[in-house]
Amino acid sequence: MSDPEVATKAPESDAADDTPSTSENPDAKPPLCDDCTSDRPTPSGQAATGEIVKINGIDCYISKPADYPHVPARLLLLLTGGTGVKSTNNQIQADKYAGEGFLSVMPDLFEGDAAPNSKVTEDENIPLIEKIKMRVADAAKSFVLDMWLARHTDEKVLPILHKVLGGSKEMFTDAANNGIYGVGYCFGGRYILLLSSERELPTSWEQKSEDEEGGSKLKGPFLKAGALAHATCVTPEDFNGLKAPISMVCVENDGLFPDDVRVAGEDYLSKNNVEHEVQVYPGVPHGFAIVGEYENANIKEAQVTAYEQMLSWVKDH
């Protein structure tokens, strides 16, 4: 496979993606892809080695370097796609970072409510009546995913993350001394952006901290550096206030992270002198960077390269 392309600023004449939402267009892509909501086959011979523990009441998968605490480690927050904390593939992903010296904390972003994972198989030889049935099934799936996303908004997810961040600092003080790093995939990728920004949490939310004047305030950035792969549900506004160095693994022609959103983000980062890198991977599906088996050798190679990109970024910062 050729090297991934380094993203460059698109011409101003490039058209934005005007695809209507699934509620307006039943044939449009769902808000999350199959790889966001269901696991690929787990690679042969691999199994998770960490454990699920409670941190401030939140289930978290914890994976520690083999020689920790005798050898120092750095604290890494890993945010998953819709398959969640109990996914074996996600757990193996956390183990991979632990094997590189990071104490990996992977929280349950969904409080036990992982994304629905119905999958519709497409085949050009399927009779027309069956294709119509599948189109109806796709529309139903999109509706179910919309309802699931409506249950997992910023108002729900960010307080979970701040509970986990605070509890992790207390539980693993030595690893958190030099800051917390973050990596995120699909749904979790957007929250790496939000945690890397200097925005404040609204005071109406339950997780608060007291400032010197006695008011409630929780202001970022909360991560020392972040990396994300094929994020979903991202808008250009999600880049506002971003301060921590950020690395992005992107998919060419990704309808779930459109070029206009990516380019707007790159423009913001460049104009505000935020250290960043963006790699666009051609010929791979959305979700390719998450642990999971593919038969296509090019996708396998890209998966390895994307992991090395993200790992190198957090290691180097």
Side-chain angles (χ1 to χ4, degrees):
M1 172 180 164
S2 59
D3 291 337
E5 300 172 359
V6 177
T8 56
K9 185 182 296 185
E12 292 182 1
S13 60
D14 282 0
D17 182 358
D18 294 323
T19 304
S21 68
T22 55
S23 60
E24 299 171 351
N25 178 10
D27 294 330
K29 289 186 177 181
L32 299 176
C33 73
D34 286 327
D35 285 330
C36 296
T37 59
S38 58
D39 280 330
R40 300 286 305 174
T42 298
S44 178
Q46 296 190 30
T49 59
E51 61 179 343
I52 293 180
V53 302
K54 294 277 188 185
I55 297 181
N56 275 345
I58 306 299
D59 280 343
C60 295
Y61 178 81
I62 308 296
S63 187
K64 302 174 184 178
D67 48 9
Y68 177 82
H70 304 294
V71 175
R74 288 190 280 177
L75 190 60
L76 179 79
L77 183 72
L78 192 155
L79 306 183
T80 70
T83 52
V85 72
K86 293 185 178 179
S87 155
T88 298
N89 288 354
N90 290 338
Q91 292 176 357
I92 293 172
Q93 192 83 61
D95 294 344
K96 285 167 66 73
Y97 287 102
E100 295 291 338
F102 288 94
L103 197 162
S104 301
V105 176
M106 185 171 72
D108 180 4
L109 303 176
F110 316 116
E111 297 182 301
D113 179 32
N117 61 359
S118 57
K119 180 182 273 190
V120 176
T121 304
E122 295 194 18
D123 187 328
E124 61 183 10
N125 297 317
I126 292 175
L128 177 60
I129 186 64
E130 294 302 319
K131 289 184 177 181
I132 293 173
K133 289 179 182 178
M134 289 195 306
R135 187 171 301 171
V136 172
D138 265 343
K141 175 183 176 182
S142 296
F143 176 78
V144 170
L145 285 173
D146 281 339
M147 294 301 98
W148 179 81
L149 285 169
R151 295 197 297 274
H152 301 291
T153 60
D154 291 355
E155 289 81 2
K156 295 287 188 180
V157 175
L158 281 172
I160 289 172
L161 290 174
H162 286 291
K163 286 180 181 179
V164 172
L165 285 169
S168 297
K169 288 179 182 178
E170 294 179 4
M171 188 176 294
F172 307 113
T173 304
D174 55 340
N177 275 340
N178 293 320
I180 299 176
Y181 299 82
V183 295
Y185 297 83
C186 297
F187 181 95
R190 175 173 176 266
Y191 288 93
I192 294 297
L193 293 177
L194 300 187
L195 293 176
S196 297
S197 78
E198 63 180 359
R199 69 186 67 202
E200 290 187 18
L201 215 62
T203 55
S204 60
W205 295 4
E206 60 179 290
Q207 275 299 109
K208 302 174 184 178
S209 64
E210 297 298 316
D211 64 17
E212 299 83 0
E213 299 176 359
S216 58
K217 181 175 68 173
L218 201 59
K219 185 175 181 179
F222 303 97
L223 300 178
K224 187 172 183 179
L228 56 92
H230 35 69
T232 59
C233 305
V234 175
T235 67
E237 290 73 26
D238 291 331
F239 290 89
N240 292 344
L242 203 150
K243 293 294 183 182
I246 202 83
S247 174
M248 295 195 291
V249 168
C250 302
V251 174
E252 187 178 48
N253 301 320
D254 187 357
L256 299 177
F257 188 31
D259 288 348
D260 60 317
V261 174
R262 173 177 56 78
V263 171
E266 290 182 78
D267 286 348
Y268 178 89
L269 296 172
S270 296
K271 290 175 182 176
N272 289 275
N273 298 314
V274 179
E275 185 184 359
H276 67 282
E277 68 172 5
V278 181
Q279 301 282 356
V280 178
Y281 289 72
V284 297
H286 185 97
F288 81 99
I290 302 168
V291 165
E293 192 61 72
Y294 287 93
E295 294 183 4
N296 185 300
N298 289 338
I299 299 176
K300 286 184 175 182
E301 184 178 344
Q303 188 180 74
V304 171
T305 304
Y307 170 68
E308 291 174 347
Q309 175 187 331
M310 298 172 73
L311 175 64
S312 295
W313 187 260
V314 291
K315 271 192 168 183
D316 292 345
H317 290 83

